[in-house]
Amino acid sequence: MAAISPATGAPHATILGIGAYRPSRVVPNSAVIEAIDSSDEWIQQRSGIKQRRWAAPDETVQVMSVGAAREAIEQAGIAPAQIDCVVVATVTHLLQTPAIATAIAHELGTENAAAFDISAACAGFCHGVSLAADMVRGGSAGHVLVIGVERLSDITDLHDRGTAFIFADGAGAAVVGPSETPGIGPVVWGSDGEQFDLIRQKEDWRDVVGTPAVPGSGVMPHLVMLGNPVFRWASFAMAKVGQQALDRAGIAVEDLDLFVPHQANMRIIDAMARSMKLPESVRIARDIAEQGNTSAASIPLALHRMVEEGEAQSGDVALLIAFGAGLAYAAQVVTVP
């Protein structure tokens, strides 16, 4: 019987470059408080958010993705033609098919790269980084472009007191490629489907478009979230996941340089840091204050800001941890490019 030749990949994988796209429109708390009968003080106390970015009509999921990707590719020092696969994490590409990743791959000038979207909500970027690292080490791709991108303003109910002030838009990207030393640690990931309903799209698309027998509402679906149980779950369960990711990577908490959690809520970030007993020397991403919660885009945007502002240096060891609807989660230790 003939034997199948196995694929051979790089000994290790690492992040070679990162990029970001932040929409031009800055929306302060003062612009959202009237519709939810709230105040700037209440929003900041509850979430830590001072302002958020919302995309203009021409700042589409594809436009934002391409902008972030071009920066990541340039920083990685490779040509677009060297990208073998494009993975896009998003829940706001509103076409069921085809995947937006295919259009992005074409616009960037890749040469028929494999391209697909993944839907893991706020944990999507960390899922994508893990998939990319496995591809590079397994031999199915030499370089993988991972993008987290959202236009959550499209599916946010601006009158929902629990969510209207939280969600925002943007894109972050990373190029994952070969390395002689480990630059991406083992992933710790999973889901808690028993709590599926805590964060979700409220309306089925059939509620919008209707059926021959029942007319639709014609109103866009929107997100709903039960904030208190999500806060309790993320603050404590995710600290354990973060510690597991450190243990699997062989990194002691004292050796960590950066903590880059999903930018969901400043109180959750602080609670996780306390639960993990992070030393004061660990620098913590707090991009949510200026950007809002951008779901799959939040971790690359937060890491990019830390690099841009000098809080993160090349070679720093960072713990990434993301969690969201599903309830899906993922964490890994990475080296800053």
Side-chain angles (χ1 to χ4, degrees):
M1 180 181 294
I4 296 175
S5 299
T8 56
H12 304 289
T14 195
I15 296 176
L16 299 173
I18 58 173
Y21 184 102
R22 299 180 189 271
S24 56
R25 183 184 175 194
V26 177
V27 181
N29 287 340
S30 59
V32 301
I33 56 176
E34 183 176 350
I36 58 173
D37 188 23
S38 185
S39 68
D40 174 67
E41 181 183 17
W42 184 87
I43 291 173
Q44 290 199 48
Q45 287 179 346
R46 188 173 179 85
S47 67
I49 297 173
K50 299 177 182 177
Q51 62 183 37
R52 74 280 299 138
R53 297 287 186 108
W54 285 351
D58 61 341
E59 291 176 310
T60 64
V61 166
Q62 183 171 333
V63 165
M64 293 190 292
S65 295
V66 169
R70 284 181 171 146
E71 183 182 3
I73 292 169
E74 181 180 358
Q75 188 183 112
I78 64 171
Q82 292 175 264
I83 298 292
D84 298 309
C85 183
V86 177
V87 180
V88 176
T90 187
V91 297
T92 49
H93 169 51
L94 299 181
L95 287 182
Q96 193 73 32
T97 191
I100 194 62
T102 58
I104 292 166
H106 173 71
E107 184 173 348
L108 288 171
T110 68
E111 294 184 354
N112 301 318
F116 57 91
D117 297 352
I118 59 173
S119 177
C122 306
F125 179 79
C126 287
H127 279 65
V129 168
S130 178
L131 293 173
D134 287 349
M135 288 183 217
V136 170
R137 292 185 295 107
S140 57
H143 295 87
V144 181
L145 174 63
V146 181
I147 300 169
V149 58
E150 302 291 6
R151 268 184 59 117
L152 291 168
S153 59
D154 287 339
I155 57 172
T156 296
D157 180 353
L158 298 183
H159 297 277
D160 181 355
R161 186 176 172 85
T163 61
F165 62 93
I166 296 173
F167 296 120
D169 308 333
V175 173
V176 175
S179 174
E180 291 301 317
T181 56
I184 299 173
V187 69
V188 176
W189 56 4
S191 63
D192 183 0
E194 184 178 359
Q195 303 191 78
F196 174 88
D197 284 338
L198 294 190
I199 311 170
R200 65 188 300 264
Q201 177 180 307
K202 183 177 180 181
E203 297 87 0
D204 187 299
W205 281 106
R206 288 167 294 189
D207 298 333
V208 175
V209 300
T211 66
V214 181
S217 67
V219 178
M220 279 284 289
H222 60 272
L223 295 172
V224 292
M225 179 173 65
L226 299 179
N228 287 335
V230 170
F231 176 86
R232 291 192 296 269
W233 174 79
S235 297
F236 303 105
M238 290 303 97
K240 296 176 182 178
V241 170
Q243 186 59 56
Q244 291 171 10
L246 289 173
D247 293 343
R248 293 198 64 188
I251 298 295
V253 69
E254 295 79 13
D255 298 325
L256 195 62
D257 298 305
L258 310 173
F259 179 44
V260 190
H262 167 47
Q263 303 293 292
N265 182 299
M266 198 75 80
R267 292 190 302 150
I268 292 176
I269 293 170
D270 291 339
M272 284 194 293
R274 288 193 300 269
S275 294
M276 294 182 65
K277 297 181 172 59
L278 295 183
E280 290 187 10
S281 59
V282 176
R283 300 179 298 279
I284 301 174
R286 301 185 184 278
D287 191 45
I288 187 171
E290 307 297 327
Q291 177 67 43
N293 178 346
T294 55
S295 186
S298 80
I299 283 183
L301 282 173
L303 180 58
H304 184 273
R305 184 187 291 275
M306 295 185 86
V307 171
E308 200 171 50
E309 296 184 353
E311 284 191 275
Q313 309 295 326
S314 177
D316 279 352
V317 177
L319 171 63
L320 314 182
I321 181 167
F323 48 87
L327 295 167
Y329 58 86
Q332 65 263 101
V333 175
V334 304
T335 300
V336 176

Coordinates of all heavy atoms in Angstrom, one line a residue, residues 63-135:
V63 N -12.8 47.2 4.4 CA -11.9 48.4 4.4 C -11.1 48.4 5.7 O -9.8 48.6 5.6 CB -12.7 49.7 4.3 CG1 -11.9 50.9 4.7 CG2 -13.2 49.8 2.9
M64 N -11.7 48.2 6.8 CA -10.9 48.2 8.1 C -10.0 47.0 8.1 O -8.8 47.2 8.6 CB -11.9 48.1 9.2 CG -12.8 49.4 9.4 SD -13.7 49.5 11.0 CE -14.9 48.1 10.7
S65 N -10.4 45.9 7.6 CA -9.5 44.7 7.7 C -8.3 44.9 6.8 O -7.1 44.6 7.2 CB -10.3 43.4 7.2 OG -11.3 43.1 8.0
V66 N -8.5 45.4 5.6 CA -7.4 45.6 4.7 C -6.4 46.6 5.3 O -5.2 46.5 5.2 CB -7.9 46.0 3.3 CG1 -6.7 46.5 2.4 CG2 -8.6 44.9 2.6
G67 N -6.9 47.7 5.9 CA -6.0 48.7 6.5 C -5.2 48.1 7.6 O -4.0 48.4 7.6
A68 N -5.8 47.3 8.5 CA -5.0 46.7 9.5 C -4.0 45.7 9.0 O -2.8 45.6 9.4 CB -5.9 46.0 10.5
A69 N -4.4 44.9 8.0 CA -3.6 43.8 7.4 C -2.4 44.4 6.7 O -1.3 43.8 6.8 CB -4.4 43.0 6.4
R70 N -2.5 45.5 6.0 CA -1.4 46.1 5.3 C -0.3 46.5 6.2 O 0.9 46.3 6.0 CB -1.9 47.2 4.4 CG -2.6 46.8 3.1 CD -3.0 47.9 2.2 NE -3.5 47.4 0.9 CZ -4.4 47.9 0.2 NH1 -5.0 49.0 0.6 NH2 -4.8 47.4 -0.9
E71 N -0.7 47.1 7.4 CA 0.3 47.4 8.4 C 1.0 46.2 8.9 O 2.2 46.2 9.1 CB -0.3 48.3 9.5 CG 0.7 48.7 10.5 CD 0.1 49.5 11.7 OE1 -1.2 49.6 11.7 OE2 0.8 50.0 12.5
A72 N 0.2 45.2 9.2 CA 0.8 43.9 9.8 C 1.8 43.3 8.8 O 2.9 42.8 9.2 CB -0.3 43.0 10.2
I73 N 1.4 43.2 7.5 CA 2.3 42.6 6.5 C 3.6 43.4 6.3 O 4.6 42.9 6.2 CB 1.5 42.5 5.2 CG1 0.3 41.5 5.3 CG2 2.4 42.1 4.0 CD1 -0.6 41.5 4.1
E74 N 3.4 44.8 6.3 CA 4.6 45.6 6.2 C 5.5 45.4 7.4 O 6.8 45.3 7.2 CB 4.2 47.1 6.1 CG 5.4 48.0 6.0 CD 5.0 49.5 5.8 OE1 3.7 49.8 5.9 OE2 5.9 50.3 5.8
Q75 N 5.0 45.4 8.6 CA 5.8 45.2 9.8 C 6.5 43.8 9.8 O 7.6 43.6 10.3 CB 5.0 45.3 11.1 CG 5.8 45.3 12.3 CD 5.0 45.4 13.6 OE1 4.9 44.5 14.4 NE2 4.3 46.6 13.8
A76 N 5.8 42.8 9.2 CA 6.4 41.4 9.2 C 7.5 41.3 8.1 O 8.3 40.4 8.2 CB 5.3 40.4 8.8
G77 N 7.6 42.3 7.2 CA 8.7 42.3 6.3 C 8.5 41.3 5.2 O 9.5 40.7 4.6
I78 N 7.2 41.0 4.8 CA 7.0 40.0 3.8 C 6.1 40.7 2.7 O 5.5 41.7 2.9 CB 6.3 38.7 4.3 CG1 4.9 39.0 4.8 CG2 7.2 38.0 5.3 CD1 4.1 37.8 5.2
A79 N 6.0 40.0 1.6 CA 5.1 40.5 0.5 C 3.7 39.8 0.7 O 3.6 38.7 1.2 CB 5.7 40.1 -0.9
P80 N 2.7 40.5 0.2 CA 1.3 39.8 0.3 C 1.3 38.5 -0.4 O 0.5 37.6 0.1 CB 0.4 40.9 -0.4 CG 1.1 42.2 -0.2 CD 2.6 41.9 -0.3
A81 N 2.1 38.3 -1.4 CA 2.0 37.0 -2.1 C 2.6 35.9 -1.3 O 2.4 34.7 -1.6 CB 2.9 37.1 -3.4
Q82 N 3.3 36.2 -0.2 CA 3.8 35.1 0.7 C 2.7 34.7 1.8 O 3.0 33.7 2.5 CB 5.0 35.7 1.5 CG 6.2 35.8 0.6 CD 7.4 36.5 1.3 OE1 7.6 37.7 1.3 NE2 8.1 35.6 2.0
I83 N 1.6 35.4 1.8 CA 0.5 34.9 2.7 C -0.2 33.7 2.1 O -0.7 33.8 0.9 CB -0.5 36.1 2.9 CG1 0.1 37.3 3.5 CG2 -1.7 35.6 3.7 CD1 0.5 37.1 5.0
D84 N -0.2 32.6 2.8 CA -0.8 31.4 2.3 C -2.2 31.2 2.7 O -3.0 30.4 2.2 CB 0.0 30.2 2.7 CG 1.4 30.2 2.2 OD1 1.6 30.4 0.9 OD2 2.4 30.1 2.9
C85 N -2.6 31.9 3.8 CA -4.0 31.7 4.3 C -4.4 33.0 5.1 O -3.6 33.6 5.7 CB -4.0 30.5 5.3 SG -5.7 30.2 6.0
V86 N -5.7 33.3 4.9 CA -6.2 34.5 5.6 C -7.4 34.0 6.5 O -8.3 33.4 5.9 CB -6.7 35.6 4.6 CG1 -7.4 36.7 5.3 CG2 -5.6 36.1 3.7
V87 N -7.3 34.3 7.8 CA -8.4 33.9 8.7 C -9.0 35.2 9.3 O -8.2 36.0 9.9 CB -7.8 33.0 9.8 CG1 -8.9 32.6 10.8 CG2 -7.1 31.8 9.3
V88 N -10.2 35.3 9.1 CA -10.9 36.5 9.6 C -11.9 36.1 10.7 O -12.8 35.3 10.5 CB -11.7 37.3 8.5 CG1 -12.4 38.5 9.1 CG2 -10.7 37.8 7.5
A89 N -11.7 36.7 11.9 CA -12.6 36.5 13.0 C -13.6 37.6 13.1 O -13.2 38.8 13.3 CB -11.8 36.3 14.3
T90 N -14.9 37.4 12.9 CA -15.9 38.4 13.0 C -17.2 37.8 13.1 O -17.5 36.7 12.8 CB -15.8 39.2 11.6 OG1 -16.7 40.4 11.8 CG2 -16.2 38.4 10.4
V91 N -18.1 38.6 13.7 CA -19.6 38.3 13.8 C -20.4 39.3 13.0 O -21.6 39.3 13.0 CB -20.1 38.1 15.2 CG1 -19.3 37.0 15.9 CG2 -19.9 39.4 16.0
T92 N -19.7 40.3 12.4 CA -20.5 41.4 11.8 C -20.2 41.6 10.3 O -20.5 42.6 9.7 CB -20.1 42.7 12.5 OG1 -18.7 42.9 12.6 CG2 -20.8 42.8 13.9
H93 N -19.7 40.5 9.7 CA -19.8 40.4 8.2 C -21.2 39.9 7.9 O -21.5 38.7 8.2 CB -18.7 39.5 7.6 CG -18.9 39.2 6.2 ND1 -19.1 40.2 5.2 CD2 -19.0 38.0 5.5 CE1 -19.3 39.6 4.0 NE2 -19.2 38.3 4.2
L94 N -22.1 40.7 7.4 CA -23.5 40.4 7.4 C -24.0 39.6 6.2 O -25.2 39.3 6.1 CB -24.3 41.7 7.5 CG -24.0 42.5 8.8 CD1 -24.9 43.7 8.9 CD2 -24.2 41.6 10.1
L95 N -23.1 39.2 5.4 CA -23.4 38.2 4.3 C -23.1 36.8 4.9 O -22.0 36.5 5.4 CB -22.6 38.4 3.1 CG -22.9 39.6 2.2 CD1 -22.0 39.6 1.0 CD2 -24.3 39.6 1.7
Q96 N -24.1 35.9 4.8 CA -23.9 34.6 5.3 C -22.8 33.9 4.5 O -22.0 33.1 5.0 CB -25.2 33.8 5.1 CG -25.2 32.4 5.9 CD -25.3 32.6 7.4 OE1 -25.9 33.5 7.8 NE2 -24.7 31.7 8.1
T97 N -22.7 34.2 3.2 CA -21.7 33.7 2.3 C -21.5 34.6 1.1 O -22.5 35.2 0.7 CB -22.0 32.2 1.9 OG1 -20.9 31.6 1.3 CG2 -23.2 32.2 0.9
P98 N -20.4 34.7 0.5 CA -19.1 34.1 0.9 C -18.4 34.7 2.0 O -18.8 35.8 2.5 CB -18.3 34.2 -0.4 CG -18.8 35.5 -1.0 CD -20.2 35.6 -0.7
A99 N -17.4 34.1 2.5 CA -16.6 34.6 3.6 C -15.9 35.9 3.1 O -15.4 36.0 2.0 CB -15.5 33.6 4.0
I100 N -15.9 36.9 4.0 CA -15.2 38.2 3.7 C -13.7 38.0 3.5 O -13.0 38.8 2.8 CB -15.5 39.3 4.8 CG1 -15.1 40.7 4.2 CG2 -14.8 39.0 6.1 CD1 -15.9 41.1 3.0
A101 N -13.2 36.9 4.1 CA -11.7 36.7 4.0 C -11.3 36.5 2.6 O -10.2 36.9 2.2 CB -11.4 35.4 4.8
T102 N -12.2 36.0 1.7 CA -11.8 35.8 0.3 C -11.6 37.1 -0.4 O -10.6 37.3 -1.1 CB -12.8 34.9 -0.4 OG1 -14.1 35.6 -0.3 CG2 -12.9 33.5 0.2
A103 N -12.5 38.1 -0.1 CA -12.4 39.4 -0.8 C -11.2 40.1 -0.2 O -10.4 40.8 -1.0 CB -13.6 40.2 -0.5
I104 N -10.9 40.0 1.1 CA -9.7 40.6 1.7 C -8.4 40.1 1.1 O -7.5 40.8 0.7 CB -9.8 40.4 3.2 CG1 -10.9 41.2 3.8 CG2 -8.4 40.9 3.8 CD1 -11.3 40.9 5.2
A105 N -8.4 38.7 1.0 CA -7.2 38.1 0.4 C -6.9 38.6 -1.0 O -5.7 38.9 -1.4 CB -7.3 36.6 0.4
H106 N -8.0 38.8 -1.8 CA -7.8 39.3 -3.2 C -7.3 40.7 -3.2 O -6.4 41.1 -3.9 CB -9.1 39.1 -3.9 CG -9.1 39.8 -5.3 ND1 -8.4 39.2 -6.3 CD2 -9.7 40.9 -5.7 CE1 -8.5 40.0 -7.4 NE2 -9.3 41.0 -7.1
E107 N -8.0 41.6 -2.4 CA -7.6 43.0 -2.4 C -6.2 43.2 -1.9 O -5.5 44.1 -2.4 CB -8.5 43.8 -1.5 CG -8.3 45.3 -1.6 CD -9.3 46.2 -0.8 OE1 -10.4 45.6 -0.5 OE2 -9.0 47.4 -0.7
L108 N -5.7 42.4 -1.0 CA -4.3 42.5 -0.5 C -3.3 42.1 -1.5 O -2.1 42.4 -1.4 CB -4.2 41.7 0.8 CG -4.8 42.2 2.0 CD1 -4.8 41.2 3.1 CD2 -4.2 43.6 2.4
G109 N -3.7 41.3 -2.5 CA -2.8 40.8 -3.5 C -2.1 39.5 -3.2 O -1.0 39.2 -3.7
T110 N -2.8 38.7 -2.4 CA -2.2 37.3 -2.1 C -2.5 36.5 -3.4 O -3.3 36.9 -4.2 CB -2.9 36.6 -1.0 OG1 -4.3 36.4 -1.3 CG2 -2.9 37.5 0.3
E111 N -1.7 35.4 -3.5 CA -1.9 34.6 -4.8 C -2.7 33.4 -4.4 O -2.2 32.3 -4.1 CB -0.5 34.2 -5.3 CG 0.3 35.4 -5.8 CD 1.7 35.1 -6.4 OE1 2.0 33.9 -6.3 OE2 2.3 36.0 -6.9
N112 N -4.0 33.6 -4.5 CA -5.0 32.5 -4.3 C -4.8 31.9 -2.9 O -4.9 30.6 -2.7 CB -4.8 31.4 -5.4 CG -5.1 32.0 -6.8 OD1 -6.0 32.7 -7.0 ND2 -4.2 31.6 -7.7
A113 N -4.6 32.7 -1.9 CA -4.5 32.2 -0.5 C -5.8 31.5 -0.1 O -6.9 32.0 -0.5 CB -4.1 33.3 0.4
A114 N -5.7 30.5 0.7 CA -6.8 30.0 1.4 C -7.4 31.1 2.2 O -6.7 31.9 2.8 CB -6.5 28.7 2.2
A115 N -8.7 31.1 2.4 CA -9.3 32.2 3.1 C -10.7 31.8 3.7 O -11.5 31.2 3.0 CB -9.5 33.5 2.2
F116 N -10.9 32.0 5.0 CA -12.1 31.7 5.6 C -12.4 32.5 6.8 O -11.5 33.1 7.4 CB -12.2 30.2 5.9 CG -11.1 29.7 6.9 CD1 -11.2 29.7 8.3 CD2 -9.9 29.3 6.3 CE1 -10.2 29.3 9.1 CE2 -8.9 28.8 7.2 CZ -9.0 28.8 8.5
D117 N -13.7 32.6 7.2 CA -14.1 33.4 8.4 C -14.3 32.4 9.5 O -14.7 31.2 9.3 CB -15.4 34.1 8.2 CG -15.2 35.2 7.1 OD1 -14.1 35.5 6.6 OD2 -16.3 35.8 6.7
I118 N -14.1 32.8 10.8 CA -14.5 32.1 11.9 C -15.4 32.9 12.8 O -15.2 34.1 12.9 CB -13.3 31.5 12.7 CG1 -12.4 32.7 13.2 CG2 -12.4 30.6 11.9 CD1 -11.3 32.2 14.1
S119 N -16.3 32.2 13.5 CA -17.2 32.9 14.4 C -17.1 32.4 15.8 O -17.6 31.4 16.1 CB -18.7 32.7 13.9 OG -19.6 33.3 14.8
A120 N -16.2 33.1 16.6 CA -16.1 32.7 18.0 C -16.2 34.0 18.8 O -15.6 34.1 19.9 CB -14.7 32.1 18.2
A121 N -16.9 35.0 18.3 CA -17.2 36.2 19.0 C -15.9 36.9 19.5 O -15.0 36.9 18.8 CB -18.2 36.0 20.1
C122 N -15.9 37.3 20.7 CA -14.8 38.1 21.3 C -13.5 37.2 21.4 O -12.4 37.8 21.5 CB -15.2 38.7 22.6 SG -16.7 39.6 22.6
A123 N -13.7 35.9 21.4 CA -12.5 35.0 21.5 C -11.9 34.7 20.1 O -11.0 34.0 20.0 CB -12.9 33.7 22.2
G124 N -12.5 35.3 19.0 CA -12.1 34.9 17.7 C -10.7 35.1 17.3 O -10.1 34.2 16.7
F125 N -10.1 36.2 17.7 CA -8.7 36.5 17.3 C -7.8 35.4 18.0 O -6.9 34.9 17.3 CB -8.3 37.9 17.7 CG -6.9 38.2 17.4 CD1 -6.5 38.6 16.1 CD2 -5.9 38.2 18.3 CE1 -5.2 38.9 15.8 CE2 -4.6 38.5 18.0 CZ -4.2 38.8 16.7
C126 N -8.0 35.1 19.2 CA -7.1 34.1 19.9 C -7.3 32.8 19.3 O -6.4 32.0 19.1 CB -7.4 34.1 21.4 SG -6.8 35.5 22.3
H127 N -8.5 32.4 18.9 CA -8.8 31.2 18.1 C -8.0 31.2 16.8 O -7.3 30.2 16.5 CB -10.2 31.0 17.8 CG -11.1 30.5 18.9 ND1 -11.3 31.2 20.1 CD2 -11.8 29.3 19.0 CE1 -12.1 30.4 20.9 NE2 -12.4 29.3 20.3
G128 N -8.0 32.3 16.1 CA -7.3 32.5 14.8 C -5.8 32.3 15.0 O -5.1 31.7 14.2
V129 N -5.2 32.9 16.0 CA -3.8 32.8 16.3 C -3.4 31.4 16.5 O -2.4 30.9 16.0 CB -3.4 33.7 17.5 CG1 -1.9 33.4 17.9 CG2 -3.5 35.2 17.1
S130 N -4.2 30.6 17.3 CA -3.9 29.2 17.5 C -4.0 28.4 16.3 O -3.1 27.6 16.0 CB -4.9 28.7 18.6 OG -4.7 27.3 18.8
L131 N -5.0 28.6 15.5 CA -5.1 27.9 14.2 C -3.9 28.2 13.3 O -3.3 27.4 12.6 CB -6.4 28.3 13.5 CG -7.7 27.9 14.1 CD1 -8.9 28.5 13.3 CD2 -7.8 26.4 14.1
A132 N -3.5 29.5 13.2 CA -2.4 29.9 12.4 C -1.1 29.3 12.8 O -0.3 28.8 12.0 CB -2.3 31.5 12.4
A133 N -0.9 29.2 14.1 CA 0.4 28.6 14.6 C 0.4 27.1 14.3 O 1.5 26.6 13.9 CB 0.5 28.8 16.2
D134 N -0.7 26.5 14.4 CA -0.8 25.1 14.0 C -0.5 24.9 12.5 O 0.1 23.9 12.1 CB -2.1 24.5 14.4 CG -2.3 24.3 15.9 OD1 -1.3 24.4 16.6 OD2 -3.4 24.0 16.4
M135 N -1.1 25.8 11.7 CA -0.8 25.7 10.2 C 0.6 25.8 9.9 O 1.2 25.0 9.1 CB -1.6 26.7 9.5 CG -3.1 26.6 9.5 SD -3.8 27.9 8.5 CE -5.3 28.2 9.4

